[in-house]
Amino acid sequence: MTDDYIGYFKFYFDHYVDGEVVEHYRIDLGDGEEVNEREFSYLEEQVALSEEKSLQEEIKEKIEPK
């Protein structure tokens, strides 16, 4: 690939719940941020929710002895 390359890349995201795909998502990078603003916002929210859930589980494990 060179600096003269013009195009876009497709990225696919699968959302798994209990080992099953519950959502399939695609973003075409190269179309511009404005075109994909809704998709980027959605993915950012999902990552934040996942991180929050992981943090809550970690705190719960530290508080509740086994």
Side-chain angles (χ1 to χ4, degrees):
M1 208 176 298
T2 68
D3 290 339
D4 297 330
Y5 179 78
I6 298 174
Y8 64 95
F9 299 91
K10 294 179 183 183
F11 286 83
Y12 296 91
F13 300 88
D14 289 331
H15 183 182
Y16 286 85
V17 174
D18 295 328
E20 293 187 30
V21 177
V22 295
E23 185 175 26
H24 183 72
Y25 219 68
R26 184 183 98 192
I27 292 181
D28 296 336
L29 295 183
D31 289 341
E33 283 189 45
E34 290 180 14
V35 173
N36 292 308
E37 185 176 351
R38 181 176 58 93
E39 287 81 5
F40 286 133
S41 293
Y42 175 76
L43 289 173
E44 185 177 19
E45 290 170 9
Q46 294 303 307
V47 168
L49 287 172
S50 177
E51 289 176 348
E52 182 179 326
K53 183 178 178 183
S54 294
L55 181 60
Q56 289 174 352
E57 289 174 358
E58 185 178 326
I59 291 170
K60 184 178 177 181
E61 286 178 5
K62 289 182 180 181
I63 293 174
E64 297 177 2
K66 293 181 181 183

